[in-house]
Every structure is written in C-alpha cells, then in structure tokens.
Amino acid sequence: MALWGGRFEGGVDAFTQEFGASLEVDKNMAQQDIRGSIAHATMLAEQGVISQEDAHAIVAGLTQIANEIEAGTFVWNVDDEDVHMAVERTLTERIGAAGGRLHTGRSRNDQVATDIRLLAKDLCAELIEGNHELRRVLADVAQNNLDVVMPGYTHLQHAQPVLFSHHMLAYFWMFSRDATRLQAAYDAADANPLGAAALAGTTYPLNRARTTELLGFSRTIPNSLDAVSDRDYLLDLEYACAVSMMHLSRLCEEIVLWSSSEFGYITLSDSYSTGSSIMPQKKNPDFAELTRGKTGRVYGDLMALLATCKSLPMAYNKDLQECKEGPIDAARTLGDCMAIMVGMLQTLTVNEDRMLAEAGTGFSAATDVADYLAKRGMPFREAHAVVGHLVLECEKRGCGLEDLTLAELREASELFQEDVVGTLDPAGIARARTTYGGTGNEAVRAQLAEALATL
Ligand code: ARG
C-alpha cells in the first residue's frame, strides 16, 4: 500500500503506478531529499514537536540510507512512487514509529520544492565551476597565440584583420556573462520553501528560519502557496544553460569551419576527432558538431518547462512533477559540453601561417587604404569611393591592392606616397587598432589582463 493509501479501497494497476511515478528522475535528488529531511527532523526536535530520541533515530537512519545510495547498495523498490516515499518507507521499516513521525508538519509538496531548490543550487555551483575552467582555457589560448593574425569577418566575408587572441577573448566575455546568468539562477533557487507544508502552512510550531539556516538557504520564502508552486528558478537555470549552449554552438560552428580544408586555420587533435566507416581519409569534428546539435535539446528543455508551468492554478499540481527532467538534462548537457570544449581547445593546433596568409587576402586592407587618404586630407566618403574603384580594378585583373604599383595608385590619387605599403600589411593593420577594446596588440594585452582579473 502506498504511504497515502489509507482512504483507498482499491490499489492502482501496475501501469498506472508506473505512469504516476517519478522515482527514476528523483534519484538525482536523493541526497538533497535526505538533507532536507535531516534538517526538518532536527528542527522538529528543537521545537519539541518530536522527541530528541526520535530525531536521533531518524538522523542516524537517514544517514545510513544516504551512504547506501552513495555507495550504490541501496535497494530501490519500484513500488515507491517517488524518492520521498522510498526514503520514508525504508526508514520506517528500519527504525519503526520514529520514522513515521518524520513527515509531521510537512507535505511532499514543500519537500519536493526543497529538494529541487537544493539540487538547482548544486547544479548551478557545478556549472559555474565548469564555466570558470572554460574561461581560463580560452584565456590560455589567447595568451599562447597573442600576436597571431587572422581575417576578421562580417557576413562571413573578409572584413579587416584581427588577432586570433582577440577572437578568443570575444568568447571569454560571452562566457563571463553566462557565469552571471548562472549565478542569478543560483540566487533565485536559494530560498527555503520547507514549512509551507501542502499549501497553507501548518499548525505545528515550526521554525522555518532554522531549516533555512540548517540547509544553507539565504532566505525563507514568505508565502506558502508560492513556496510549493514556484518553479521560476528552474526556468532561470534552463535559460542560463540555453544561452551558454548558444555561445558554445557559435564557437563550435567556427571550429567546424576552421578545421575544414577550405579554411585550415586549426587542426583538431585526434582525441577530439572521429573517422568515417567508409572514407579512409576522413577526420571529422564530431564533438564540435555534437555540442552544436545538443544546443537544440537544451532550448527544448526551456520551452518544455515554460509550457508545463503555463496556466497552472494555485498551488501544487501534479504537472509540476514534469519539471525535474528538463533542468537536470540542460545542466548535465551544458556541463558535458563545456568539458568537451575545454579539451578541444587545450589540444587543437593553431595554424598561424594559414591564418596570416588569409588575413592578407580579400581586400581586407581596403579600409586602412581609405583611412590613409582621409588622414592626408581627402574627405573619408571620397576616399571610400577611390579605394572602391581600385578594388574593382584589382578584381578585373585578378590581383590584390598590394600588387598595384605606386604609379597606378597615384593615378587614382596624388595623395599616395611610398609609405602606403605600410597600410597593406595585415599585421600592421591589426596593430594599429589601438582603441580600448580594439584588436591592436597592446589593446589585446590590456584586455587579456582585464579578463584574467575577473577569474
Ligand atoms: N513526486 C511528486 C513530484 O515530483 C512529489 C509531490 C507529490 N505531491 C502530491 N501532492 N502528489 O512533484
């Protein structure tokens, strides 16, 4: 008989039992469930609601169960609807009447809310650590390739040369914002619902502030209805995961492109590549692709929870049982993908010469040539047109701006002098962008120091 079976004459059939159960997903929060129960029992005894002897028996019994779960020796019974019932039933079988007093002044509604909040906090903390590691590796890659020049793109067309380190640091800042979002999700979860009971509070003299303290929550939720029905913090977690996956996916897309023979900017290590079952020559960037692909399912997790919570009347509804899998999946997926990215970045080879060679193509010096004329007095708009015509001419001839003679340049404008060659060198072009946040070598060094200071 289920723990709630008193008012029932008939039992549910096997499939109904299975359909209604959440035991499988709940196993992910078994330790949190036991932490919550230990805090509740401790507080009940302090308040004189249960005896100290009962509390000791409960805490000892729960600690033993927690250890067995940790060690993998705990025997789960599929007849238990959820982790709350599995733990309480086992405890009561082992310690008798004291176990039956654990649930005094508590409902599974505030219990599950407590468990998920504790789990969400643990997941956020782990993800923040993973994010930190990823940012450190991005900073390392920037540091180790500080002056490597590559083409900068807009519309995936050559735009202006940039430093590869600058490009890596752009991702550093994206992941910094992700850390802020993960911290916000942590803070949202960091509130204690325990003591709300089923929905209305309870007649027992509970000390909610005490369980808040025992469980390490930073505050106590002030409304019992909200306490049992709020899952916003899981949306915050999933949103943070979704945005961070989006950032990983962008980086993966570049890794896929860069490792193609068309680009050849990087070479992935064998340990982060796979072969083909038919084409012997293949070396595929599967792990970058998989990460890009998994972004879709994390977006799905966020949408699923938004849809599940929509239109739910107050307070607890069984729909909320569906809220757990998505955030756990989103967090695990992001955690795994960050770890894969760390490994991929640590082991890839940067093909410096390839990047530099490409940086000089595609007329990426055109802006600087126009600036050359503008700095010598020609209105920038006019200079833009002059260089535009030179580019057109070069395209017809199949050459680059650097292939034009000084005489040819001077036909377009008398302002061109010998020193124009300096504006055609991609490394020089990047170096000259000295503004704060720009790609100039000194500006990037300052940026890197700023990035490292945030870690
Ligand atoms: N297994 C349930 C869940 O995950 C626990 C709460 C059940 N509460 C109830 N009133 N049926 O949401």
Side-chain angles (χ1 to χ4, degrees):
M1 188 174 82
L3 292 182
W4 40 252
R7 61 97 65 227
F8 289 82
E9 286 178 339
V12 291
D13 71 29
F15 180 64
T16 317
Q17 156 69 25
E18 193 190 320
F19 182 82
S22 62
L23 185 61
E24 244 349 274
V25 63
D26 284 358
K27 287 178 186 173
N28 292 289
M29 52 182 212
Q31 296 298 340
Q32 288 81 359
D33 189 71
I34 291 173
R35 273 162 65 195
S37 289
I38 288 176
H40 183 65
T42 304
M43 179 275 294
L44 286 180
E46 286 171 3
Q47 296 298 104
V49 178
I50 64 172
S51 68
Q52 286 293 350
E53 299 75 67
D54 282 351
H56 285 140
I58 290 170
V59 171
L62 287 173
T63 305
Q64 191 191 358
I65 293 172
N67 291 339
E68 289 170 21
I69 293 173
E70 177 73 29
T73 55
F74 183 77
V75 183
W76 296 98
N77 183 343
V78 286
D79 291 338
D80 289 319
E81 186 182 314
D82 52 30
V83 70
H84 324 300
M85 300 224 184
V87 171
E88 189 186 323
R89 184 189 50 73
T90 308
L91 178 73
T92 306
E93 275 169 16
R94 292 182 185 177
I95 68 168
R101 296 202 172 94
L102 168 61
H103 210 53
T104 311
R106 186 176 72 167
S107 155
R108 278 184 299 153
N109 297 349
D110 58 340
Q111 187 178 357
V112 70
T114 305
D115 296 4
I116 313 175
R117 281 179 179 272
L118 290 172
L119 176 65
K121 285 177 65 178
D122 290 345
L123 293 174
C124 286
E126 268 171 49
L127 290 174
I128 289 168
E129 231 173 83
N131 170 287
H132 199 269
E133 167 78 356
L134 173 57
R135 279 189 289 150
R136 173 152 308 279
V137 170
L138 279 165
D140 284 349
V141 175
Q143 179 115 54
N144 296 336
N145 298 277
L146 256 177
D147 298 317
V148 173
V149 181
M150 69 179 287
Y153 297 87
T154 61
H155 314 270
L156 206 57
Q157 308 282 326
H158 285 208
Q160 295 167 353
V162 296
L163 296 189
F164 178 66
S165 51
H166 192 49
H167 198 117
M168 287 294 108
L169 288 173
Y171 283 101
F172 180 96
W173 298 114
M174 293 180 222
F175 291 114
S176 299
R177 296 193 294 278
D178 294 344
T180 308
R181 272 179 279 272
L182 287 166
Q183 185 62 48
Y186 180 97
D187 294 340
D190 193 15
N192 182 19
L194 200 58
L199 75 165
T202 173
T203 55
Y204 295 97
L206 302 190
N207 181 351
R208 294 193 60 208
R210 180 67 176 134
T211 52
T212 296
E213 183 189 320
L214 287 169
L215 290 171
F217 282 115
S218 71
R219 61 194 190 279
T220 309
I221 299 177
N223 181 305
S224 61
L225 295 169
D226 189 34
V228 294
S229 64
D230 170 29
R231 297 293 184 275
D232 298 359
Y233 54 96
L234 294 177
L235 288 169
D236 294 338
L237 169 56
E238 290 188 330
Y239 169 64
C241 291
V243 176
S244 202
M245 286 300 297
M246 180 269 285
H247 288 146
L248 281 174
S249 177
R250 291 182 65 181
L251 182 50
C252 286
E253 172 73 8
E254 304 216 83
I255 287 174
V256 170
L257 286 172
W258 292 347
S259 59
S260 70
S261 58
E262 282 75 8
F263 280 80
Y265 292 174
I266 57 168
T267 307
L268 289 176
S269 83
D270 286 357
S271 47
Y272 286 90
S273 314
T274 54
S276 157
S277 58
I278 175 169
M279 297 167 282
Q281 85 284 11
K282 293 281 276 177
K283 184 174 169 189
N284 297 326
D286 278 30
F287 300 97
E289 295 168 90
L290 255 180
T291 298
R292 193 176 57 185
K294 284 175 188 289
T295 305
R297 71 187 255 183
V298 175
Y299 289 3
D301 290 330
L302 171 61
M303 287 314 299
L305 184 55
L306 279 168
T308 298
C309 294
K310 170 185 169 294
S311 315
L312 287 185
M314 285 286 191
Y316 178 85
N317 299 274
K318 185 80 165 180
D319 313 44
L320 292 175
Q321 182 163 291
E322 286 295 306
C323 289
K324 292 176 268 192
E325 254 169 285
I328 294 170
D329 178 68
R332 296 256 155 88
T333 305
L334 175 60
D336 290 352
C337 290
M338 287 193 296
I340 287 286
M341 182 56 78
V342 162
M344 221 159 21
L345 290 172
Q346 280 173 330
T347 55
L348 60 76
T349 311
V350 175
N351 301 328
E352 196 173 326
D353 297 345
R354 242 333 261 149
M355 287 193 189
L356 181 62
E358 275 304 311
T361 70
F363 303 103
S364 56
T367 311
D368 290 66
V369 178
D371 285 340
Y372 176 94
L373 295 175
K375 284 173 186 169
R376 282 158 185 76
M378 187 183 288
F380 179 77
R381 197 44 64 211
E382 199 181 311
H384 186 288
V386 168
V387 180
H389 281 116
L390 287 171
V391 167
L392 187 63
E393 180 58 26
C394 287
E395 260 182 349
K396 284 180 185 160
R397 291 202 226 160
C399 69
L401 287 168
E402 64 284 1
D403 299 316
L404 298 176
T405 62
L406 182 59
E408 286 166 334
L409 289 171
R410 287 181 65 85
E411 254 172 62
S413 168
E414 292 281 305
L415 293 173
F416 283 119
Q417 305 285 339
E418 281 295 347
D419 62 352
V420 69
V421 291
T423 67
L424 296 167
D425 164 43
I429 293 173
R431 181 174 297 282
R433 280 163 168 68
T434 53
T435 39
Y436 175 78
T439 198
N441 305 52
E442 291 318 310
V444 171
R445 278 171 173 73
Q447 182 192 165
L448 177 62
E450 202 176 315
L452 289 172
T454 68
L455 287 177

